[in-house]
Amino acid sequence: MSRVRLYLFLLVGVLGLVGCGQDRSTSAPAASSADTTKSATASGAADTTDAEARVLVLGNSIAAGSGVSSREAFPARLQQKVDSLGWDVQVQNAGVSGETTAGGLQRIGWVLQRPVDVLVLELGGNDGLRGIDPGVTRKNLRGIIDTTLSTYPEARVLLTGMQVPPNLGQEYARQFRQVYPAVAEAYDRVTLIPFLLNDIAGSDSLMQDDGIHPTAAGHRLIANEIWTDLRPLLEERRPQDPA
């Protein structure tokens, strides 16, 4: 059995726990300013406004680093990568545990108050856990991207895909899986990472006991995966050396 398939079946067990007592509506309350501020500084990056480039990670508990230290979560790993190159880049971690795409859409305007060069959009997993209509998820993701690109037309977006277990219904799983490619294909400035957990799903050493959240080692691999697409985008924005 592939690691991805094993991950999806492990997710089923957690689904029963997550679903109990949770609102299964298609919207979620916006995070408070205090919560957003706390998560936005979780990567350990300096809170500066004059960096040459800024990367915003808008995500859920994976980006927030649930179960690991803030310095081990993938946004902090990305900050470490740019720091090791001596680049003047700030990675802002705006991950909030439990966030849905509706919640992200509600707070995207707030987190765009400072310039953004690259948006890493890591949302949708909780939509799948709640059985939200994939059409609603698609609409919310597009709303987040539209708001970002209308505010900063030169920005680029890295959209990280997610999958749901087939036990929610083969048709639902198929529709959900198609959300991310469909959204990415609608934009010239969006790059798709098909499945964020592709290299780590189902691994005992790379996933925590809940079968959903990565370990510190798993976050390192996620950062490497994102870095493959993020580095070229940042290089495009670096000042050119004089001839």
Side-chain angles (χ1 to χ4, degrees):
M1 180 181 294
S2 70
R3 288 188 299 175
V4 171
R5 184 176 296 275
L6 178 58
Y7 158 77
L8 294 175
F9 278 104
L10 287 171
L11 187 58
V12 176
V14 181
L15 176 62
L17 298 176
V18 174
C20 294
Q22 278 198 332
D23 176 16
R24 297 178 62 86
S25 68
T26 58
S27 63
S32 69
S33 296
D35 289 341
T36 306
T37 301
K38 179 179 179 181
S39 60
T41 58
S43 68
D47 186 14
T48 61
T49 58
D50 57 353
E52 292 176 358
R54 294 187 65 251
V55 177
L56 172 66
V57 181
L58 184 68
N60 50 40
S61 56
I62 295 178
S66 177
V68 300
S69 74
S70 61
R71 292 185 177 275
E72 293 173 323
F74 78 80
R77 298 287 187 186
L78 293 174
Q79 184 69 59
Q80 293 163 17
K81 288 180 180 296
V82 295
D83 290 346
S84 69
L85 295 173
W87 292 359
D88 185 14
V89 176
Q90 179 191 10
V91 179
Q92 178 186 358
N93 185 356
V96 172
S97 293
E99 188 74 292
T100 61
T101 57
L105 181 59
Q106 289 178 0
R107 66 188 177 98
I108 184 61
W110 191 88
V111 295
L112 290 177
Q113 292 184 61
R114 289 184 294 162
V116 170
D117 295 282
V118 181
L119 170 68
V120 178
L121 182 49
E122 184 266 309
L123 285 175
N126 287 319
D127 292 44
L129 287 176
R130 298 182 183 197
I132 292 174
D133 182 348
V136 173
T137 298
R138 181 172 59 253
K139 181 179 178 180
N140 290 338
L141 289 173
R142 293 200 60 168
I144 293 169
I145 294 170
D146 288 343
T147 301
T148 301
L149 296 181
S150 64
T151 306
Y152 303 109
E154 298 303 313
R156 298 293 296 269
V157 178
L158 290 180
L159 177 62
T160 65
M162 188 55 68
Q163 298 181 18
V164 296
N167 301 62
L168 293 175
Q170 292 288 349
E171 181 60 19
Y172 181 85
R174 183 189 67 80
Q175 291 182 15
F176 189 89
R177 187 169 58 250
Q178 292 178 341
V179 164
Y180 295 92
V183 170
E185 289 171 3
Y187 299 89
D188 294 332
R189 306 191 69 80
V190 175
T191 300
L192 175 66
I193 299 174
F195 182 31
L196 183 66
L197 304 179
N198 185 61
D199 292 333
I200 68 174
S203 169
D204 291 340
S205 62
L206 300 177
M207 297 293 287
Q208 298 178 41
D209 290 342
D210 62 10
I212 293 179
H213 297 99
T215 62
H219 274 279
R220 186 179 297 110
L221 291 181
I222 289 176
N224 290 342
E225 178 74 13
I226 294 174
W227 183 243
T228 299
D229 291 304
L230 177 60
R231 178 171 181 163
L233 299 182
L234 295 177
E235 287 177 334
E236 292 176 1
R237 286 160 169 72
R238 286 185 49 74
Q240 298 297 314
D241 293 330

